């Protein structure tokens, strides 16, 4: 009823109301647009959560650790806002294995998955007027959270012709005195690339020259199967301060357990001196913590998981990546510039000129979902129009079936060359 009152409330304009602008939103819309919901099982090549496939069950050690922590009744209370000490120590030790120096528990802050680590880090850096450098293509949560915190976004490109390395000239051209940080995601989502040691070092040197810090998203750390080994950015922490964000969600395939970390890899103590560390603590003080019993399970999970759990998962992911990559080679209208070497994704480019009635990546993905019950994320969602982001974190028969349907779809929509 109109009572003539002008309401004093309005929604926060920094939060997008358009669900088709988020990965979750668009994947939901694609699922709804399938024509053959009953007869044809959906092949989910869109999202990065393989935990629904039985072959991706997490390790027994991890399940036992959580059950034990829960049953002990010792972890029913609130945790300190930065996380409980044994868990922070375990994360410090786990990450120190790959670093030239040793992290202390004081360098570690536990978060509700890697997502809260990202939210917190961006909030901490969002002083008025500041800007942040984000990769394109990238992980759109960074854009959403930066916008939410009024942090200006500037994009640099990852170069497909250089195995998705950072365009460092562009980074130098973009940065100014208000730039606070550059984000890298390694191993890469969405490109499936793994940065070489030398390239990481150049990124560190560029950041040092610009006086900015590096946020290194290593949520896919160790999920590599190509010739480039995983090198954490923290290795270059003495060149430039690094904030590493990560979690157990991807390597242990338990994204629903919601535990991750912010780790300061900064042996020179720059982030302490500049009060960034205090600000992280302050930010975590006014938010909530991962479930205490999950925190309590972390030492066992990180220390006791057997090597064969990881090698088994990697073998499955590698074989499915191989299937997707080889199938794409057989399809004329899409191409993948680089064989994936890590994470759970690859990017494939659509050649629209070979397609009859498909105008762009959105159109491609909606028609594909409708006709074939295959869900693929349009590249637009990760910043690259007319590309596709395909996940290969699924079992081999699903990968084969999914790519087979993509092939049939492309054939059906191919332009007839006279
Ligand atoms: C999945 C993902 C995250 C979020 O990880 P959670 O631990 O599930 O919160 C962060 N960054 C990237 C690049 C991801 O792919």
């Amino acid at each position: 009823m109109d009572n003539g009152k002008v309401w004093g409330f309005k929604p926060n304009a920094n939060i997008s109301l358009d669900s088709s602008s988020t990965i979750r939103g668009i994947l939901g819309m694609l699922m709804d647009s399938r024509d053959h919901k009953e007869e044809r099982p959906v092949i989910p090549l869109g999202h990065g959560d393989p935990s629904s496939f039985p072959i991706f069950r997490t390790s027994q050690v991890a399940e036992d650790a959580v059950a034990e922590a829960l049953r002990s009744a010792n972890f029913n209370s609130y945790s300190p806002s930065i996380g409980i000490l044994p868990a922070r120590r375990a994360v410090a030790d786990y990450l120190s294995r790959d670093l030239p120096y040793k992290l202390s528990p004081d360098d570690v802050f536990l978060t509700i998955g890697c997502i809260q680590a990202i939210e917190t880090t961006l909030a901490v850096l969002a002083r008025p007027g500041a800007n942040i450098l984000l990769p394109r293509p990238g992980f759109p949560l960074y854009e959403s959270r930066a916008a939410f915190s009024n942090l200006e976004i500037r994009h640099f490109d990852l170069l497909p012709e250089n195995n998705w390395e950072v365009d460092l000239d562009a980074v130098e051209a973009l940065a100014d005195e208000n730039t606070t940080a550059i984000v890298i995601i390694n191993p890469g989502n969405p490109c499936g690339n793994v940065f070489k040691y030398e390239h990481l070092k150049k990124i560190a040197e560029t950041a040092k020259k610009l006086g900015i810090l590096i946020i290194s998203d290593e949520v896919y750390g160790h999920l590599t199967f190509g010739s480039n080994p995983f090198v954490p950015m923290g290795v270059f922490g003495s060149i430039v301060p690094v904030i590493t964000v990560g979690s157990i969600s991807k390597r242990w395939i338990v994204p629903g357990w919601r535990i991750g970390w912010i780790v300061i890899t900064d042996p020179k103590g720059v982030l302490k001196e500049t009060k960034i560390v205090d600000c992280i603590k302050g930010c975590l003080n006014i938010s909530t913590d991962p479930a205490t019993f999950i925190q309590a399970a972390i030492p066992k999970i990180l220390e006791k998981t057997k090597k064969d759990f990881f090698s088994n998962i990697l073998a499955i992911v590698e074989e499915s990546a191989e299937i997707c990559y080889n199938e794409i080679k057989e399809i004329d209208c899409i191409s993948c510039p680089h064989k994936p070497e890590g994470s759970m994704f690859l990017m494939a480019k659509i050649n629209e000129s070979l397609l009859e009635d498909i105008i762009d990546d959105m159109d491609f993905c909606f028609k594909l979902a409708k006709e074939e019950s295959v869900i693929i994320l349009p590249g637009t969602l990760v910043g690259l129009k007319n590309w596709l982001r395909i996940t290969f974190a699924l079992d081999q028969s699903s990968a084969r079936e999914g790519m087979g349907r993509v092939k049939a779809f492309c054939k059906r929509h191919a332009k007839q060359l006279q």
Side-chain angles (χ1 to χ4, degrees), residues 28-42 369-370 373:
M29 289 164 69
L30 287 166
M31 285 294 280
D32 289 341
S33 67
R34 288 172 295 143
D35 266 351
H36 310 279
K37 290 204 182 73
E38 306 302 324
E39 321 90 85
R40 257 187 139 177
V42 60
K370 182 175 157 63
S373 285

Side-chain angles (χ1 to χ4, degrees), residues 48 112-116 118 139 141-142 185 187-189 217 219-220 245-250 254-256 258-260 345 389:
I112 304 173
C114 186
I115 289 191
Q116 196 196 23
I118 295 168
F139 185 61
L141 180 85
Y142 283 94
I185 303 171
N189 175 6
D217 184 328
V219 77
Y220 295 100
V245 295
S247 74
I248 62 168
S249 303
K250 308 292 163 69
V254 287
R258 309 309 304 132
I259 189 153
F345 303 97
R389 187 190 78 168

Side-chain angles (χ1 to χ4, degrees), residues 73-107:
N74 288 332
F75 304 102
N76 292 341
S77 50
Y78 286 118
S79 95
S81 62
I82 57 173
I84 62 175
L85 179 61
R88 286 188 291 118
R89 182 180 294 128
V91 172
D93 292 346
Y94 169 66
L95 296 181
S96 295
R97 293 182 208 163
D98 301 311
L99 295 173
Y101 51 90
K102 204 165 159 16
L103 295 168
S104 117
D106 295 338
D107 297 320

Side-chain angles (χ1 to χ4, degrees), residues 57-59 251-252 305-313:
R57 179 152 176 186
T58 193
S59 73
R251 196 177 185 203
W252 275 266
T305 301
K306 304 240 166 50
K307 279 208 179 71
D308 56 349
F309 167 74
F310 299 124
S311 51
N312 179 39
I313 294 294

Side-chain angles (χ1 to χ4, degrees), residues 234-282:
V235 164
F236 305 102
S238 53
I239 297 177
V240 69
V242 177
I243 294 182
T244 301
V245 295
S247 74
I248 62 168
S249 303
K250 308 292 163 69
R251 196 177 185 203
W252 275 266
I253 323 187
V254 287
W257 290 9
R258 309 309 304 132
I259 189 153
W261 48 77
I262 297 172
V263 173
I264 305 299
T265 43
D266 174 33
K268 291 199 172 148
V270 180
L271 297 175
K272 271 207 187 80
E273 201 178 300
T274 52
K275 301 269 188 252
I276 294 291
V277 171
D278 289 332
C279 194
I280 292 171
K281 287 182 195 160

Side-chain angles (χ1 to χ4, degrees), residues 399-414:
R400 235 176 245 116
E401 170 70 22
M403 294 312 295
R405 292 190 204 172
V406 174
K407 195 192 275 179
F409 172 84
C410 287
K411 238 191 198 135
R412 206 160 56 241
H413 290 274

